[in-house]
Amino acid sequence: MKTVLMTGAAGRIGSALRTGLADRYALRLLDRQVITELGPNESFVAADIADIGAMEQAMKGVDAVIHMAASVSPNGWDTMFEPNFIGTYNIFEAARRQGVTRVVYASSIHAHGFYRRDQKVGADTPPRPDSIYGVSKVFGEAIGRLYADKHGLEVVCLRIASCLPRPTTARHLATWLSHDDCVRLVAAAIEAKNVHFEVVYGVSRNTRQIYFDPNRLRIGYQPQDNAEDFAAEVLAQSPVEAEPEMDRTFHGAFYTSREFSGDLDQIS
């Protein structure tokens, strides 16, 4: 079994990943929040990713890192600086120091949230973040690229969309990532051969796809679930018009309208 360190293991997505990955890997779970119930292939490390010494210690003997830890607080810079910027740098630097081969980084679609939703975006689309959170994900991808080019780390950045048990809004019909597909995505990112640096979208096999994502084939990600299976129920409960106009205009949805004071006409 490969030993895989997962940061943010007590979080919403981390908890979902544990269920699907624990029978494939020896999982070293890392979080500030204590996890008391561990499976047979799981161990726990209580640590803050802002502490690089603790990150180095946690990565000893590790084959791959799944970096999920981040702050998504609406409070912005003051709350996000340490976990999303300092912490992300620490993950890549500690991995380099300890000779970890593969880093799987949880990026986000909010790295390009200010593109209009009628524009199909992809890995080669220039960044256009919709928030400080989105900026932090652009930063993380850039750090990943640097460490791949300069230090030879194998890096896969996952632009995760709406990772939920099931879709609940009209927007999710395009952006949904099921928990099972999230497991498939992360496992593919760990196991893919001949990786240098890849950006892959974290979405299921949705009929209403709004991303250009050929790189999923490069890492062997084959999503199985489709939000369209829930479309009739979702649209009956949450029609398209229920989403505020600005939110449904942009990929980043409510992240774009939060604290907005700009000029919509200038965002083409």
Side-chain angles (χ1 to χ4, degrees), residues 242-262:
E243 189 176 19
E245 183 177 2
M246 181 173 176
D247 294 2
R248 67 175 182 262
T249 299
F250 298 100
H251 281 270
F254 60 90
Y255 276 68
T256 59
S257 59
R258 181 187 292 158
E259 299 180 336
F260 182 77
S261 61

Side-chain angles (χ1 to χ4, degrees), residues 14-195:
S15 298
L17 285 173
R18 288 176 58 192
T19 303
L21 296 178
D23 62 343
R24 309 185 196 193
Y25 306 110
L27 290 179
R28 188 175 299 173
L29 308 174
L30 188 147
D31 207 294
R32 293 185 301 179
Q33 178 181 329
V34 176
I35 299 173
T36 55
E37 296 183 8
L38 298 172
N41 294 329
E42 295 180 328
S43 60
F44 175 70
V45 177
D48 188 333
I49 60 172
D51 181 345
I52 193 167
M55 293 307 98
E56 281 196 76
Q57 184 67 29
M59 289 194 196
K60 289 184 177 179
V62 165
D63 299 296
V65 179
I66 307 167
H67 180 36
M68 287 283 162
S71 170
V72 295
S73 168
N75 295 328
W77 180 262
D78 291 342
T79 303
M80 294 185 186
F81 178 66
E82 282 200 354
N84 294 22
F85 293 88
I86 300 299
T88 295
Y89 164 78
N90 286 349
I91 292 299
F92 283 100
E93 177 60 13
R96 180 192 71 80
R97 294 181 188 180
Q98 291 298 325
V100 177
T101 304
R102 179 76 51 96
V103 176
V104 179
Y105 172 63
S107 185
S108 171
I109 59 168
H110 295 291
H112 62 243
F114 257 122
Y115 283 100
R116 291 179 179 267
R117 217 179 284 182
D118 58 5
Q119 297 174 276
K120 203 166 189 176
V121 296
D124 295 331
T125 305
R128 199 168 187 176
D130 54 27
S131 54
I132 293 297
Y133 175 70
V135 170
S136 76
K137 294 307 180 180
V138 174
F139 171 82
E141 290 187 13
I143 287 286
R145 170 66 85 173
L146 173 67
Y147 273 73
D149 289 344
K150 187 174 283 287
H151 302 299
L153 265 68
E154 301 169 353
V155 178
V156 183
C157 297
L158 308 178
R159 287 187 181 165
I160 295 173
S162 306
C163 186
L164 301 163
R166 58 187 295 160
T168 60
T169 69
R171 175 174 172 267
H172 294 162
L173 298 178
T175 64
W176 184 51
L177 174 65
S178 72
H179 285 177
D180 286 346
D181 277 341
C182 188
V183 171
R184 294 181 185 104
L185 173 64
V186 171
I190 293 171
E191 298 297 336
K193 307 298 183 185
N194 302 316
V195 167

